């Protein structure tokens, strides 16, 4: 079975935090649509396991790299290796991120604040910086930055997370405008999911006494569609933004929230 003739035929994609959760769903779907994917993750074993599973169905389409997204030298190494190993780099998906501690401002720590900033925001800047030369060279590049509904609407106890995701939202627009002004055929857009069934919801599950079903029901109460999202709900949007179908879309934000922000 081959996805070589799909919507992403000829695309070479780097997905950070690609070994699990949203990253895994994106990698599988993008390969099924004809892309080659470089899966980068701090957990190299998990990244290799996913690449091997994907290659079992789509031979020669997935690669794995150990990657600490907070380190600039790691970005230099991984971007160069991915571009060389895949023959080019046409899409960057800045997906790596953490939720941080659920803590009110008065009780937050500088350690927590800096960790969330480093992983969720600084890594996006480093990714854009080091991938842009390769994306320009590809002739039709796309940057997809994972923000969150939490970057558009605040919640108590999520100060560090809210701040980083809001910054990713606006930074993406800046990159989009810079690329357009320079005449580069590189687009940048942000994706803003609400609650999605991934490990990032673990703190909410813990608050529900470890009962995942109750936690998900609690989170879904304020969502008009009365459910939380699936990883594929986000992956479908990322496939669109990575494809040439979105060739005139840049500097935009895509809300995947079951109608939450329409209220």
């Amino acid at each position: 079975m081959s996805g070589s003739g799909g919507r992403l035929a000829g695309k070479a994609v780097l997905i950070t935090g690609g070994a699990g959760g949203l990253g895994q769903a994106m990698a599988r779907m993008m390969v099924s649509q004809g892309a080659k994917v470089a899966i980068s993750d701090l957990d190299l074993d998990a990244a290799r396991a996913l690449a091997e599973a994907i290659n079992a169905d789509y031979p020669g389409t997935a690669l794995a790299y150990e990657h600490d997204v907070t380190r600039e030298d790691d970005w230099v190494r991984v971007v160069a290796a991915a571009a060389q190993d895949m023959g080019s780099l046409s899409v960057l998906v800045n997906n790596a991120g953490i939720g941080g501690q659920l803590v009110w401002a008065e009780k937050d720590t500088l350690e927590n604040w800096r960790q969330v900033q480093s992983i969720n925001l600084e890594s996006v800047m480093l990714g854009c910086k080091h991938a842009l030369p390769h994306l320009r060279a590809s002739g039709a590049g796309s940057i997809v930055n994972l923000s969150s509904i939490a970057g558009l609407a605040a919640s108590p106890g999520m100060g560090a997370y809210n701040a980083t995701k809001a910054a990713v939202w606006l930074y993406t627009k800046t990159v989009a405008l810079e690329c357009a002004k320079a005449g580069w055929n590189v687009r940048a857009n942000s994706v803003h999911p609400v609650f999605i069934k991934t490990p990032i919801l673990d703190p909410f599950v813990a608050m529900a006494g470890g009962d995942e079903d109750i936690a998900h029901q609690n989170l879904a109460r304020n969502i008009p569609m009365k459910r939380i999202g699936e990883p594929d709900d986000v992956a479908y949007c990322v496939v669109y933004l990575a494809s040439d179908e979105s060739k005139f879309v840049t500097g935009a934000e895509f809300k995947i929230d079951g109608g939450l922000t329409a209220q």
Side-chain angles (χ1 to χ4, degrees), residues 98-111:
I98 60 170
Q101 300 175 19
L102 292 171
V103 57
W104 284 38
E106 186 179 12
K107 300 293 185 180
D108 205 354
T109 65
L110 190 57
E111 179 183 17

Side-chain angles (χ1 to χ4, degrees), residues 161-219:
Y161 188 75
N162 287 144
T164 58
K165 293 304 185 178
V168 167
W169 171 51
L170 202 58
Y171 178 72
T172 302
K173 292 180 181 293
T174 299
V175 173
L177 292 174
E178 289 178 356
C179 291
K181 188 175 181 63
W184 303 334
N185 189 19
V186 178
R187 300 174 294 104
N189 296 284
S190 58
V191 175
H192 300 253
V194 72
F195 306 115
I196 307 293
K197 293 179 184 177
T198 69
I200 204 168
L201 298 185
D202 286 352
F204 297 98
V205 174
M207 290 168 61
D211 192 314
E212 187 176 80
D213 290 338
I214 291 177
H216 292 174
Q217 290 168 14
N218 290 340
L219 293 172

Side-chain angles (χ1 to χ4, degrees), residues 19-55:
L22 293 180
Q24 181 174 148
M26 293 172 198
R28 290 183 180 278
M29 190 177 292
M30 295 177 101
V31 165
S32 77
Q33 290 298 320
K36 290 183 179 180
V37 296
I39 301 161
S40 84
D41 204 283
L42 196 59
D43 187 341
L44 179 58
D45 289 340
R48 282 176 171 164
L50 177 58
E52 289 173 4
I54 290 174
N55 286 327

